[in-house]
Amino acid sequence: RGNNRQPVFLDTEDYLHYLDCLRMAAREHELAIHAYALRPNHVHLVATPKGPDSLSLTMPAVGSRHQPDFH
């Protein structure tokens, strides 16, 4: 969720960039993404981690990849 419910995505480019970041991080940390819903100020995921740290490693990796490019 965005800080103070602020937007996480501003335009189509932001959504697509986030999906690329999620895809790369999930592959790198072995998190199977089954479904997602990208809302303007938050994200829902249905996922299965392969290892005990898969989810906890994936999400910060997504944020660090997406956040610097957020405009």
Side-chain angles (χ1 to χ4, degrees):
R1 185 170 298 275
N3 191 23
N4 294 322
R5 298 182 184 247
Q6 293 177 333
V8 177
F9 308 106
L10 300 178
D11 56 27
T12 302
E13 186 177 315
D14 285 339
Y15 287 97
L16 295 174
H17 182 259
Y18 183 89
L19 287 175
D20 284 340
C21 294
L22 177 61
R23 188 177 302 113
M24 288 186 291
R27 190 175 298 139
E28 181 180 322
H29 298 292
E30 300 182 296
L31 181 70
I33 306 292
H34 306 292
Y36 60 85
L38 304 180
R39 307 300 300 157
N41 69 345
H42 65 281
V43 175
H44 294 276
L45 296 176
V46 177
T48 302
K50 184 171 183 176
D53 296 330
S54 296
L55 180 61
S56 63
L57 293 172
T58 298
M59 298 317 294
V62 173
S64 67
R65 289 176 174 152
H66 178 68
Q67 192 265 339
D69 293 327
F70 185 72
H71 53 275

